């Protein structure tokens, strides 16, 4: 006796058609935004470096699916997707990447520090593992002030070997804080495979050391990620404490713009590209009658337009005044 | 030994430096539900130096939170809490252990406002028992004011009296930016008159704690008291040293130092941190770059810590940082034109 509902993926059962279409739009937006950023970088409009999350879109969007602006996230150096998933505007993101005053950080942060405090994004972090204790602090605030918001802490497989990871998970667990640790295991920390650098097979196993649930899911399967987060968020909101979710995924691009890609094979990359999370989610929506092919194309086209408009907004935006170099160091100067 | 004249009209009570800090924290906990104390063994134990004392009994473990022995994580939790609406006062058991938390203090707390273009703030206070003289040797006796003073985004204070300790901690709490309060361990038991109620000692303002005309001695924390002792003895020889209590390392009060040196024409910088690349270098350079340079009648003198970790042996330990007779000797030479 099988309930037919069981054959329907979690996300389709859980979310409205509009929510699902919006999720697909955000996944396209992330992909196209990052391709646009890459192109802008090649054209010299963006300086410094950049870490692209192309291939990891399901992880970002499905993780943030049930969050409101009151819920917080902390993010990593590979944080563009998280920022868009949480609701940021791509125009202001491009403006930040172009170093403009209209950017989210008024040109002081760039790609690696992209944030949008109003939508609850407390910021990307240039320090591997840097956001972990900060997320626990945000969850402490929620608990102390009696708010029911949760904090999602994104980090990579490389970060799970930092001391900050262990200290943060332990404190979150002893104080039963509403925080969910989301490990985006894309297999490599720069060139170092997680299988080499981490003693346990699945990073989620480390949850056992901190007496919290650990789940390893297919990070390219939107529903699998959304389902795991649904459970973890419910647990956090109920006051039952933190969880660790590991999204197994892959970054198609190199670690950053300086990567010569000597540590992985073409075959491996192609194999993962054939598991494109966006195509998979789109096909799933079509298969379940949420969308037809035409509708899917329209969503992608709208995202493309938003990216083009965003680049234009950023290009036309003013640069910060040179004389403002020390503005925002302290509160008084921010006035 | 109290250098400050208490504010007239205000009720004062005699208490120790540690008690004054505790009173400041109690007032803050009472006044603002967003204030939380965090640190290792600050609850029932009362803190390694008994500074938090019985606050856990008065405010409960939700407001006076014992953290695990996790300096990096604990400091980071305080940063995240400050970023989202709490006002944490995080106690390091010894300032030396802040080395484990440099990442969160220097890379996160200090920079977040700037990196985010002013869209967020981090009103966290880090309290750090600092300095030598307790026989705790090299890993429990360091003076890190120059380390943290080098970081834009941080404010660094070093109160030298009970009244200042209370007033500066309350000022640190009111400050929307991260503030590091170095509390000198040898001062915890020192007594002085402390005003009642809520008041603040401004961050960024030095105090002339003894006026004089023959030379300027700039000092902070315990060194203020040693400089005052030296000045009292020199006065018997007719040498009038002006003593400045720096109080804040960052931002440094340029005006007070420059005005004093213009008056006296001679400068001696006294500090407990290692001499090389320390506070004395900064203050000397400040004078060298200012209009006070033309008023100098003698080369600037620096009296800082030895180029060594703090040793265990008590005589070596004393020799490793400036003592009152050292200050007296160098000040005398400086005043007499012998340097
Ligand atoms: C503390 C620290 N160490 C090293 C680096 C350099 N670095 C930046 S990203 C990175 C790899 C991080 O890997 P992972 O956490 O798996 O995230 P991913 O890049 O795979 O998204 C390294 C080594 C850093 N930024 N911070």
């Amino acid at each position: 006796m099988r309930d037919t509902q069981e054959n329907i993926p979690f996300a389709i059962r859980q979310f409205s058609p509009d929510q699902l279409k919006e999720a697909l739009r955000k996944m396209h937006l992330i992909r196209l935004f990052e391709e646009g950023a890459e192109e802008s970088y090649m054209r010299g409009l963006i300086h410094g470096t950049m870490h692209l999350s192309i291939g990891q879109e399901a992880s970002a969007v499905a993780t943030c699916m049930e969050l409101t602006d009151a819920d917080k996230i902390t993010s990593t150096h590979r944080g563009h997707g998280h920022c868009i998933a949480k609701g940021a505007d791509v125009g202001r993101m491009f403006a930040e990447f172009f170093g403009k005053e209209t950017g989210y950080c008024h040109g002081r942060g760039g790609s690696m520090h992209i944030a949008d405090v109003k939508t609850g994004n407390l910021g990307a972090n240039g320090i591997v593992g840097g956001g972990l204790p900060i997320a626990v602090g945000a969850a402490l605030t929620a608990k102390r002030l009696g708010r029911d918001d949760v904090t999602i802490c994104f980090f990579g497989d490389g970060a799970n070997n930092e001391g900050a990871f262990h200290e943060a998970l332990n404190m979150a667990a002893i104080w039963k804080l509403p925080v969910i640790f989301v490990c985006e295991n894309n297999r490599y920390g720069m060139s170092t495979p997680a299988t080499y650098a981490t003693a346990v097979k699945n990073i989620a196993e480390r949850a056992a050391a901190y007496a919290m649930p650990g789940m390893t899911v297919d990070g390219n399967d939107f529903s699998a990620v959304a389902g795991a987060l649904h459970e973890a968020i419910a647990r956090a909101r109920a006051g039952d404490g933190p969880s660790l979710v590991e999204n197994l995924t892959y970054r198609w691009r190199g670690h950053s713009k300086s990567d010569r890609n000597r540590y992985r094979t073409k075959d491996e990359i192609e194999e993962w590209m054939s598991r494109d999370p966006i195509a998979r989610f789109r096909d799933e929506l079509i298969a379940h009658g949420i969308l037809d092919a035409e509708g899917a194309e329209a969503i992608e086209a709208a995202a493309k337009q938003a990216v083009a408009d965003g680049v234009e907004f950023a290009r036309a935006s003013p640069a910060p005044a040179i004389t403002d170099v020390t503005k925002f160091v302290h509160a008084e100067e921010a006035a | 030994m109290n250098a400050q004249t208490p504010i007239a009209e205000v009720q004062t009570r005699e208490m120790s430096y540690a008690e004054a800090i505790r009173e400041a924290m109690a007032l803050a906990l009472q006044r603002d539900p967003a204030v939380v104390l965090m640190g290792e063994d600050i609850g029932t134990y009362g803190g390694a130096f008994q500074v938090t004392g019985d606050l856990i009994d008065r405010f409960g473990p939700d407001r006076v939170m014992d953290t695990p022995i996790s300096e990096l994580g604990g400091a980071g939790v305080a940063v995240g809490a400050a970023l989202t609406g709490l006002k944490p006062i995080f106690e390091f058991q010894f300032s030396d252990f802040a080395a484990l938390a440099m990442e969160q203090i220097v890379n996160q707390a200090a920079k977040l406002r700037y990196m985010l273009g002013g869209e967020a703030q981090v009103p966290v206070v880090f309290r750090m028992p600092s300095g030598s003289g307790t026989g705790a040797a090299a890993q429990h006796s360091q003076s890190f004011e120059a380390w943290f003073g080098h970081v834009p985004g941080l404010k660094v204070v070093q109160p030298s009296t009970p009244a200042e300790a209370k007033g500066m901690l309350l000022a640190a709490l009111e400050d929307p930016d991260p503030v590091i309060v170095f509390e000198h361990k040898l001062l915890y038991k020192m007594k002085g008159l402390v005003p009642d109620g809520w008041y603040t000692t401004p961050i960024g303002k030095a105090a002339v704690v003894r006026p004089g005309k023959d030379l300027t001695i700039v000092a902070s924390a315990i060194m203020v008291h040693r400089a005052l002792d030296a000045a009292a003895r020199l006065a018997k020889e007719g040498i009038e040293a002006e003593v400045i209590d720096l109080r804040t390392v960052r931002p440094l009060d340029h005006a007070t130092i420059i005005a004093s040196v213009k008056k006296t024409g001679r400068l001696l910088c006294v500090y407990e941190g290692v001499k090389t690349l320390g506070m004395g270098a900064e203050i000397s350079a400040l004078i060298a770059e200012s209009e006070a340079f033309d008023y100098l009648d003698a080369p600037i003198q620096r009296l800082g810590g030895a180029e060594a970790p703090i040793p265990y042996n008590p005589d070596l330990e004393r020799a490793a940082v400036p003592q009152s007779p050292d200050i007296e000797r160098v000040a005398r030479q400086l005043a007499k034109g012998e340097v």
Side-chain angles (χ1 to χ4, degrees):
Chain A
M1 272 257 299
R2 294 189 75 203
D3 187 344
T4 49
Q5 283 287 89
E6 267 183 25
N7 294 325
I8 301 176
F10 171 83
I12 310 279
R13 278 184 277 134
Q14 184 69 17
F15 303 115
S16 71
D18 281 350
Q19 286 176 305
L20 293 166
K21 285 185 228 169
E22 173 61 8
L24 181 64
R25 189 187 74 88
K26 278 184 174 166
M27 283 164 76
H28 278 299
L29 201 55
I30 294 170
R31 173 83 46 98
L32 293 163
F33 174 85
E34 292 204 309
E35 286 171 357
E38 196 172 33
E39 193 194 316
S40 303
Y41 181 89
M42 300 301 183
R43 286 209 242 140
L45 292 166
I46 295 177
H47 80 155
T49 189
M50 232 174 3
H51 306 81
L52 301 176
S53 66
I54 292 173
Q56 304 184 183
E57 295 86 352
S59 171
V61 177
T63 296
C64 295
M65 203 56 197
E66 294 186 22
L67 304 183
T68 69
D69 285 357
D71 297 313
K72 311 288 187 288
I73 67 164
T74 63
S75 175
T76 71
H77 57 285
R78 204 175 301 287
H80 311 160
H82 309 145
C83 197
I84 292 171
K86 198 71 175 66
D89 166 66
V90 291
R92 291 197 63 193
M93 287 179 70
F94 273 121
E96 186 57 36
F97 289 23
F98 289 14
K100 298 297 181 73
E101 187 64 38
T102 51
Y104 274 112
C105 310
H106 304 281
R108 270 69 167 181
S111 154
M112 236 189 315
H113 305 299
I114 192 77
D116 177 13
V117 180
K118 289 189 183 67
T119 59
N121 179 356
L122 301 176
N125 215 305
I127 305 292
V128 170
L132 281 142
I134 294 177
V136 177
L140 176 68
T141 300
K143 183 166 180 172
R144 181 86 300 107
L145 300 184
R147 299 183 192 147
D148 79 342
D149 50 79
V150 300
T151 302
I152 304 284
C153 174
F154 285 104
F155 61 101
D157 47 279
N160 101 104
N161 293 317
E162 287 282 1
F165 167 86
H166 299 277
E167 297 191 23
L169 265 71
N170 184 57
M171 278 184 271
I174 62 169
W175 293 325
K176 276 197 174 348
L177 297 178
V179 54
I180 297 124
F181 300 98
V182 176
C183 180
E184 297 192 308
N185 183 351
N186 61 14
R187 311 291 159 127
Y188 297 93
M190 277 179 84
S191 67
T192 309
T195 48
Y196 165 86
T198 297
V200 288
K201 180 163 176 287
N202 290 315
I203 288 163
E205 288 170 38
R206 290 196 158 167
Y210 305 103
M212 67 176 79
M215 293 170 263
T216 300
V217 300
D218 179 346
N220 284 14
D221 177 350
F222 186 93
S223 257
V225 176
L229 264 295
H230 178 77
E231 250 180 67
I233 290 171
R235 188 178 136 80
R237 292 212 207 272
D240 294 333
S243 307
L244 170 58
V245 179
E246 175 183 16
N247 298 337
L248 294 177
T249 184
Y250 198 79
R251 59 167 159 77
W252 294 5
R253 297 295 197 270
H255 166 71
S256 67
K257 300 318 293 177
S258 64
D259 191 346
R260 282 184 287 175
N261 198 29
R262 288 177 168 163
Y263 53 90
R264 50 184 199 173
T265 63
K266 244 196 160 121
D267 284 353
E268 180 185 294
I269 298 170
E270 276 165 14
E271 214 271 301
W272 275 95
M273 286 175 76
S274 72
R275 298 189 222 167
D276 182 351
I278 300 183
R280 182 166 167 184
F281 185 53
R282 182 199 56 211
D283 293 349
E284 202 166 271
L285 294 187
I286 292 172
H288 288 89
I290 308 289
L291 208 63
D292 55 18
E294 223 168 73
E297 261 163 48
I299 286 174
E300 189 174 353
K304 207 170 255 168
Q305 189 58 48
V307 165
D309 293 347
V311 170
E312 261 330 289
F313 168 77
R315 265 181 189 283
S317 285
I322 299 295
T323 46
D324 279 347
V325 65
T326 61
K327 190 173 169 182
F328 306 128
V329 174
H330 289 299
E332 318 60 285
E333 294 149 18
Chain B
M1 219 157 71
N2 188 349
Q4 296 323 110
T5 342
I7 308 145
E9 290 139 49
V10 173
Q11 200 71 31
T12 60
R13 276 172 302 143
E14 177 157 281
M15 64 178 80
S16 73
Y17 187 90
E19 286 163 347
I21 296 165
R22 187 181 318 142
E23 181 169 285
M25 293 192 288
L27 283 174
L29 286 162
Q30 237 154 35
R31 188 166 100 156
D32 184 353
V35 172
V36 288
L37 312 186
M38 302 177 68
E40 294 164 18
D41 307 297
I42 65 166
T44 308
Y45 194 93
F49 293 94
Q50 292 302 308
V51 179
T52 42
D54 63 350
L55 290 177
I56 191 164
D57 301 328
R58 296 164 60 190
F59 297 97
D62 289 345
R63 308 286 305 283
V64 182
M65 296 178 65
D66 275 322
T67 64
I69 305 170
S70 286
E71 287 79 10
L72 164 65
V77 171
V79 170
L83 191 62
T84 47
L86 292 186
K87 287 193 172 181
I89 303 179
F90 185 88
E91 175 182 300
F92 282 92
Q93 234 163 41
F94 287 80
S95 67
D96 310 66
F97 309 157
L100 285 103
M102 276 319 249
E103 202 291 281
Q104 285 293 330
I105 300 172
V106 169
N107 283 323
Q108 311 292 343
K111 294 174 185 163
L112 270 162
R113 174 189 290 282
Y114 191 79
M115 294 193 307
L116 271 47
E119 303 287 335
Q121 58 186 23
V122 189
V124 64
V125 179
F126 293 113
R127 294 183 34 242
M128 303 196 188
S130 169
S132 68
T134 65
Q139 294 171 338
H140 290 74
S141 303
Q142 295 166 94
S143 296
F144 283 162
E145 57 280 356
W147 281 25
F148 292 104
H150 195 62
V151 181
L154 297 179
K155 292 177 181 170
V156 182
V157 302
Q158 286 187 295
S160 70
T161 67
E164 265 178 33
K166 179 178 167 188
M168 296 202 99
L169 183 54
L170 293 179
L173 256 172
E174 285 184 1
D175 200 291
D177 294 321
V179 181
I180 295 178
V181 184
F182 284 112
E183 299 165 3
H184 201 288
K185 287 177 242 133
L186 293 184
L187 294 176
Y188 277 135
K189 292 209 168 83
M190 175 200 167
K191 296 219 164 179
L193 289 176
V194 175
D196 280 346
W198 189 288
Y199 67 93
T200 56
T201 305
I203 293 172
K205 288 255 177 300
V208 178
V209 290
R210 180 188 174 107
K213 58 177 177 36
D214 297 325
L215 79 153
T216 298
I217 304 177
V218 174
S220 57
I222 187 90
M223 291 301 157
V224 173
H225 303 289
R226 291 181 187 163
L228 286 170
D229 287 348
R233 285 194 298 277
L234 289 166
K236 292 183 186 138
E237 302 169 18
I239 298 170
E240 291 297 339
E242 176 147 303
V243 179
I244 293 178
D245 177 354
L246 217 46
R247 302 202 295 200
T248 306
V249 165
R250 183 184 190 98
L252 199 58
D253 179 354
H254 292 188
T256 300
I257 303 168
I258 289 170
S260 176
V261 173
K262 280 168 76 176
K263 183 168 81 171
T264 66
R266 295 168 201 270
L267 172 63
L268 168 59
C269 308
V270 184
Y271 51 110
E272 184 162 345
V274 172
K275 181 177 173 183
T276 301
L277 294 166
M279 282 310 297
E282 180 58 35
I283 294 162
S284 306
L286 164 70
I287 294 305
E289 286 174 350
S290 78
E291 77 267 23
F293 182 72
D294 288 334
Y295 292 75
L296 285 177
D297 297 321
I300 296 168
Q301 296 298 299
R302 286 184 291 162
L303 201 47
E307 304 300 316
I310 298 295
Y312 168 68
N313 171 286
D315 293 330
L316 290 180
E317 186 186 26
R318 257 191 302 280
V321 301
Q323 302 296 330
S324 197
D326 306 319
I327 301 171
E328 186 184 332
R329 175 175 42 79
V330 177
R332 184 183 294 111
Q333 288 167 352
L334 181 59
K336 291 186 168 171
E338 290 167 4
V339 295

